[in-house]
Amino acid sequence: IAMARQMASSAATLEELREQLAAFDGCNLKFTAKNLVFADGNPAAPIMFVGEAPGREEDLEGVPFIGRSGQLLDRMFAAIGLDRTSVYIANTIPWRPPGNRTPTPLEAEICRPFFERQIELANPRLLVALGGPAAKALTNATEGILRLRGNWKAHLTTSGIQIPVMPTLHPAYLLRNPAQKRFAWRDFVNVKIRLRALTD
Ligand code: URA
């Protein structure tokens, strides 16, 4: 973890951070994953979406949210006038856990300095946490996502800047529970309004 901190903080750009992650051997997930899944979209975008960890398709291509969940996420972006040129997308953990198992607390802790640095360097004006694990990582909140969703929280960056975070339901959850899409829709409209207020 000390090494992760040192490597993450030494990266001055997102490109350097990606290189540092590619060179980092301290997380066992790297050795079962096919690819590093660092980010997609526009790092200069005012809004950053965060998932938990890559799945099978993401691991094969090295790009976050390109499987079934990602296709739904793209439609959710489109519904509020966004696409992958106007958002930045990453995960709390950049390697696929074997068989999509939940990352262990140790794995999450080891990857955390890189994830924190990624937010700091992308410096988005707004964050959207997709699902409980991302919401927990960004806000330290302990309630479940069904309670957290829809309410703005703050993410405190390593450098002490507060970034508003909207926790919402994960697209994979929405695929399993389509009746819940109405809640995600509300959250996305809320995000759109706040984003407009920032960029108008
Ligand atoms: N689910 C996630 O949380 N992240 C991805 O990149 C893909 C699916």
Side-chain angles (χ1 to χ4, degrees):
I1 291 157
M3 176 64 84
R5 277 211 198 95
Q6 189 194 318
M7 287 178 83
S9 64
S10 77
T13 64
L14 288 165
E15 212 28 68
E16 283 178 24
L17 187 64
R18 181 201 278 270
E19 286 162 17
Q20 294 284 18
L21 266 170
F24 179 65
D25 284 340
C27 179
N28 60 303
L29 292 175
K30 179 180 189 175
F31 302 101
T32 49
K34 293 202 167 60
N35 281 295
L36 172 67
V37 180
F38 183 65
D40 196 21
N42 180 356
I47 186 163
M48 177 171 176
F49 288 78
V50 176
E52 182 182 25
R56 191 170 60 92
E57 284 79 11
E58 291 78 19
D59 180 47
L60 291 173
E61 300 292 328
V63 179
F65 283 102
I66 55 162
R68 286 234 307 143
S69 296
Q71 289 160 21
L72 175 55
L73 184 60
D74 283 334
R75 296 199 295 278
M76 294 162 74
F77 290 155
I80 57 167
L82 300 175
D83 62 25
R84 291 193 188 220
T85 69
S86 52
V87 304
Y88 187 57
I89 308 173
N91 283 299
T92 62
I93 290 180
W95 293 287
R96 181 197 186 202
N100 297 348
R101 67 162 169 74
T102 301
T104 66
L106 180 63
E107 288 160 354
E109 197 182 338
I110 289 170
C111 292
R112 185 153 187 110
F114 294 99
F115 171 59
E116 292 286 350
R117 186 70 177 147
Q118 189 170 15
I119 296 170
E120 212 168 50
L121 290 171
N123 193 25
R125 306 281 304 274
L126 298 179
L127 284 156
V128 179
L130 300 168
K136 200 168 204 178
L138 286 171
T139 70
N140 300 317
T142 52
E143 305 100 304
I145 189 63
L146 296 175
R147 277 183 173 268
L148 285 174
R149 65 142 283 278
N151 300 303
W152 289 99
K153 300 270 177 204
H155 172 70
L156 187 61
T157 69
T158 318
S159 45
I161 295 166
Q162 295 220 14
I163 305 177
V165 186
M166 172 57 71
T168 191
L169 304 173
H170 194 288
Y173 173 82
L174 298 174
L175 288 171
R176 295 191 304 271
N177 302 278
Q180 307 279 11
K181 283 183 185 173
R182 63 185 190 276
F183 297 113
W185 169 244
R186 277 184 216 161
D187 300 344
F188 268 60
V189 169
N190 196 332
V191 165
K192 173 190 183 170
I193 291 167
R194 185 126 186 196
L195 187 60
R196 284 277 158 79
L198 283 175
T199 55
D200 274 354

